[in-house]
Amino acid sequence: MNRLNEIIDRITEFGTNPNVTSENKELEITKLLVDLYSEYLGLSDIELDDKDYDDEPSFPYKKIRANVVANFPSFGWYHEVWESHKIIPDADLVTGDAIDDLTDIIIDMLAVKWRIVNTSINDALWHFSFSMKIHSEQHLVNFLKYLKDKKG
């Protein structure tokens, strides 16, 4: 849990601080996201914490996005193939947004971070697993592919 918390703390800094200091931000965020994905894939079944807790606060999308832009001004739009696992002669291209991908990942991880502090470890881990499965995982994979393609 400590390693996951460290990863989340550093990833979320890119959305809460417009001037993150790093020798190579692009390489660092790549490594952090790979580490985050590894933590997710390494999770065992998590026992659901069915206690009642306060709802997590709203995290300001526009402000977090502005901080991501400040930290990664060269990131932008990209294309991906919808249903890439199917070989279709006229495959549909969709447009992705690397800034939005990273912003959404950060917001999901801020929610996990809030739960670590304000609810329980099981609740935080369950929320992490659930948000990755239904939302963040796709953003993370798309974002890593974007970074790889951007490098050539």
Side-chain angles (χ1 to χ4, degrees):
M1 185 65 200
N2 287 340
R3 179 70 181 134
L4 178 60
N5 202 23
E6 291 170 7
I7 295 165
I8 290 173
D9 281 347
R10 185 62 175 167
I11 289 171
T12 57
E13 189 175 350
F14 287 98
T16 58
N17 176 355
N19 299 305
V20 172
T21 302
S22 176
E23 288 184 33
N24 184 333
K25 290 180 187 180
E26 195 168 309
L27 179 60
E28 183 179 2
I29 198 66
T30 302
K31 288 179 178 181
L32 286 165
L33 291 174
V34 168
D35 289 347
L36 184 73
Y37 201 30
S38 179
E39 290 289 322
Y40 166 65
L41 294 173
L43 285 177
S44 301
D45 289 334
I46 299 148
E47 188 175 321
L48 179 62
D49 179 347
D50 61 358
K51 294 178 186 161
D52 286 331
Y53 296 107
D54 291 337
D55 291 336
E56 67 196 46
S58 294
F59 300 101
Y61 179 90
K62 287 182 181 181
K63 184 174 181 177
I64 292 167
R65 182 181 173 92
N67 290 336
V68 171
V69 169
N71 283 302
F72 301 101
S74 69
F75 289 0
W77 300 94
Y78 59 88
H79 284 116
E80 64 177 306
V81 177
W82 181 254
E83 296 185 318
S84 66
H85 64 289
K86 295 179 182 177
I87 304 301
I88 305 170
D90 297 321
D92 290 325
L93 280 181
V94 295
T95 303
D97 177 1
I99 297 293
D100 177 72
D101 288 335
L102 193 50
T103 301
D104 279 3
I105 292 165
I106 289 168
I107 289 171
D108 285 351
M109 293 309 107
L110 284 169
V112 172
K113 187 175 173 175
W114 182 88
R115 288 172 184 277
I116 289 169
V117 172
N118 294 287
T119 65
S120 70
I121 298 302
N122 275 4
D123 183 59
L125 287 174
W126 187 91
H127 186 80
F128 170 64
S129 178
F130 182 74
S131 65
M132 285 292 289
K133 183 176 184 176
I134 67 162
H135 188 240
S136 291
E137 181 179 25
Q138 190 64 59
H139 283 293
L140 189 149
V141 170
N142 291 349
F143 184 80
L144 291 175
K145 172 85 167 74
Y146 163 80
L147 289 179
K148 195 260 181 248
D149 289 348
K150 187 173 174 279
K151 288 191 311 190

